[in-house]
Amino acid sequence: MKRKIAKLAALTLCCSLLLSACGGTKSGANPSSGASADGRASISWLNILQTPSPPTDTVLSKIEEATNTDIKFSWIPDASKEERLNTSLASGSLADIVTLTILDNSSVRNALKAGVFWDVAPYLDEYPNLAAISQDMRRSASIEGKLYGVPLQKQVARNGVIVRKDWLDKLGLPVPNTTDELMQVAKAFTEQDPDGNGVKDTTGFMDRSDLVFGAFKTLSSYFGTPSVWSVNEDGQVTPEFESEGYLKTMDYMKELYDNGYINQDFAVTAKTDQQQNFAQGKAGIYVGALFDSKNLLNLAKGIQDDMELVMINGITSTGNESDRAIWSTSNGVGGLLAFPKSEVKDEEELKRVLKFVNDLMSEEVYTLMTYGLEDVHYTIDENKAVTIKDTSLWQQEVQPFAGSRPKESGFEIHDSDPLRKEANRLIEENESFAVLNPLYSLESPTNSEQGSELQKMITDATYKYILGKTDLNGFQQAVQNWRKAGGDKIIAEYEAAYKAVYGK
């Protein structure tokens, strides 16, 4: 009954609300997926705007030429996307393509499960670029086993370790490849005056109050911790914090803290302060997104001009290459490009829109949406390395399209900055040993309602253990409290959902 109600609500048509209210980029298109007067396909797109203002038509006209379409954008500001999408879904004010980046939103999930959007799984392999979407990506982007749109392919695993190479060289230390070696580097950076100022004023790690995007979760990968959940061959579900790897990571972080090898206020440090402190030379190890290296180096200009960084993505706790692992951010799924049946009315129209999305994934269109027009927004050398000519013009005319790319990596054209190029190479390499969340596409009603509140119990207990305010028994008691407060129910719901989709 709930599904029928959701379906009826989502299909109620009142088609002017968002498409008129959000504003659009003019392309002279008829807002349907039919053909325009010049033979181009006319496609409307309800999209998310992640910049202050929509792009001009400069790049849009070239995208239209490359894809043989007339595109009518209706932009929803990122800050209000949840409210606007909820309203749009309830009123049926949709478009041929709807960008859905909040797949955990209840209104979005209900609309997807109610059959408002086309299941595109049977069609992807008819198009070369769509066919290249991996089965892991398709599975992660599915809802109850059905793929209700083309996955927005983000970087699957972008994290690693960034170390001051100039400090390593000064102290005669090699680039660390194991967690033990990394501990020794942290000790040396704390105790051996790597900046040479004669004062004991540096630490090894500079971390922040974030167990996910800070150091903890990346380090936990090196100790074999699963990504959020693990599922055994019998379909039994276990949370990551009940794994041996999680406990080893807590011990590792506790050792860093007890010995002063990490900033002692890490549990209350904001990301901006973490980066500023690193740039000011207060520490030599940063764990986070590998592309943060460029920002750290920029922040250090005029303060630590001798700073040299090395990025590492192959650390293990065992020293064995086969044990390389890194947790994945949302399994690389940034959302869906979904096609409502109310707008895309039959298979012929669906295939026309899918061809358009396939064409968006070409090197030519990726270049337009990422860098803009050659000699207008960027220059390029013989190695296909790009340099932006005018940052302000690029931000106005090109950057708004960046969030609309169905695929963000794997192209030959690249940034000319050596540090950014190396970061992208390592991030792409990460994909081959990324640890995915096996339950990412599944649903637990209890987790949707109570998950954040329950997770706070584990987060607090983890910090208390690292800071020496509780012991292992105290942490394990917190886990039992989590189970009693709703964790057992979450596990049971996920196990049922996993069995329903995968038959285990």
Side-chain angles (χ1 to χ4, degrees), residues 39 44 64 71 88 101 104 116 159 167-168 199 209 216 235 259 276-277 286 289 338 382 385 387 399 418 432 469:
S44 59
E64 290 178 325
I71 309 167
S88 185
T101 59
D104 57 349
V116 171
N159 283 37
W167 285 10
L168 290 175
V199 181
S209 59
F216 186 89
N259 289 298
Q276 289 286 351
N277 289 339
Y286 177 100
E382 65 278 5
T387 301
Q399 190 179 21
S432 63
K469 296 180 180 180

Side-chain angles (χ1 to χ4, degrees), residues 52-64:
S53 59
T56 64
D57 286 356
T58 306
V59 174
L60 175 61
S61 61
K62 296 298 182 181
I63 295 173
E64 290 178 325

Side-chain angles (χ1 to χ4, degrees), residues 311-375:
M311 293 169 286
I312 312 164
N313 74 337
I315 291 177
T316 67
S317 60
T318 63
N320 297 325
E321 175 75 12
S322 60
D323 290 329
R324 288 180 67 175
I326 186 66
W327 68 281
S328 175
T329 308
S330 303
N331 292 5
V333 179
L336 294 172
L337 295 181
F339 317 109
K341 295 176 181 177
S342 60
E343 309 300 315
V344 181
K345 299 186 183 299
D346 54 36
E347 281 194 345
E348 182 182 359
E349 288 191 9
L350 177 63
K351 289 183 177 183
R352 186 179 290 123
V353 178
L354 285 173
K355 182 184 184 305
F356 166 70
V357 176
N358 178 81
D359 294 344
L360 287 181
M361 296 167 64
S362 69
E363 182 104 13
E364 177 186 3
V365 180
Y366 169 83
T367 301
L368 288 168
M369 300 178 83
T370 306
Y371 301 112
L373 307 181
E374 186 176 357
D375 296 327

Side-chain angles (χ1 to χ4, degrees), residues 444-459:
S444 157
T446 303
N447 191 54
S448 298
E449 295 170 6
Q450 298 177 243
S452 297
E453 179 183 345
L454 290 173
Q455 180 59 40
K456 190 175 185 301
M457 297 169 63
I458 303 300
T459 299

Side-chain angles (χ1 to χ4, degrees), residues 151-276:
L152 291 170
Q153 300 175 75
K154 304 292 184 180
Q155 294 159 329
V156 174
R158 63 192 185 191
N159 283 37
V161 178
I162 300 169
V163 181
R164 286 200 61 163
K165 179 68 162 53
D166 54 316
W167 285 10
L168 290 175
D169 292 345
K170 181 171 183 179
L171 300 179
L173 297 170
V175 174
N177 291 307
T178 68
T179 50
D180 285 344
E181 291 173 359
L182 188 62
M183 181 69 75
Q184 292 306 308
V185 170
K187 178 181 180 180
F189 283 180
T190 305
E191 298 177 351
Q192 296 183 26
D193 190 27
D195 60 358
N197 67 354
V199 181
K200 191 176 180 180
D201 58 355
T202 58
T203 62
F205 285 75
M206 182 59 62
D207 197 24
R208 64 180 185 265
S209 59
D210 189 335
L211 293 182
V212 178
F213 296 102
F216 186 89
K217 197 168 183 70
T218 295
L219 291 173
S220 76
S221 295
Y222 305 152
F223 288 103
T225 305
S227 185
V228 190
W229 302 94
S230 65
V231 183
N232 69 13
E233 59 185 13
D234 296 321
Q236 293 179 321
V237 168
T238 305
E240 63 180 352
F241 47 81
E242 291 189 3
S243 69
E244 182 181 0
Y246 195 97
L247 299 181
K248 287 182 177 180
T249 309
M250 290 200 301
D251 285 334
Y252 191 88
M253 291 283 288
K254 181 173 172 55
E255 183 177 351
L256 290 174
Y257 180 79
D258 288 347
N259 289 298
Y261 302 161
I262 191 171
N263 54 308
Q264 298 292 282
D265 61 350
F266 81 93
V268 293
T269 298
K271 180 179 179 178
T272 52
D273 293 329
Q274 175 200 23
Q275 294 191 342
Q276 289 286 351

